[in-house]
Amino acid sequence: MWGALRGHNPRFTRQLIVSHYILDFACRAHKVGVELDGGQHGAMMEEDAARTAYLEAKGWTILRFWNTEVMTNLDGVHWSIIEAVARAATHPRPLPFREGS
């Protein structure tokens, strides 16, 4: 996954600490975090949901993918992440245009 994200602009980072959590990958500029979950997360769904809710309350968009999904569909996962960053990059209320000022 890092190989697909590391050359992207805006930049991604690995193992970003946000409060008391560590995101697997993150685009700081647009606050998009990516979590890759292995089989152990099947038993941690409540903890993962609480973690996601906490980070979203801090303004982050969190994407979760199973490790097997990354291994079998890297292109699809990559494009899902890129699309999420593109959506986050669009300002919901652009500044007004000041013609003639």
Side-chain angles (χ1 to χ4, degrees):
M1 189 77 261
W2 179 239
L5 293 175
R6 69 176 168 206
H8 189 269
N9 191 15
R11 294 184 60 187
F12 278 82
T13 188
R14 292 185 290 178
Q15 302 292 299
L16 179 68
I17 297 171
V18 178
S19 187
H20 54 285
Y21 295 113
I22 300 173
L23 294 170
D24 292 327
F25 304 102
C27 174
R28 293 181 196 184
H30 301 296
K31 295 182 95 172
V32 175
V34 179
E35 293 287 341
L36 304 182
D37 296 336
Q40 76 277 10
H41 284 267
M44 300 173 52
M45 294 181 97
E46 287 181 26
E47 292 92 341
D48 287 342
R51 172 188 175 115
T52 297
Y54 176 85
L55 292 166
E56 287 177 345
K58 297 286 183 190
W60 285 85
T61 297
I62 303 299
L63 306 173
R64 290 189 168 277
F65 301 97
W66 291 103
N67 287 344
T68 54
E69 186 177 6
V70 174
M71 288 185 271
T72 61
N73 185 20
L74 179 60
D75 287 340
V77 171
H78 177 245
W79 283 111
S80 294
I81 295 167
I82 299 311
E83 287 174 353
V85 169
R87 281 191 307 274
T90 304
H91 196 286
R93 291 185 299 166
L95 295 173
F97 178 70
R98 293 204 206 188
E99 189 173 326
S101 298

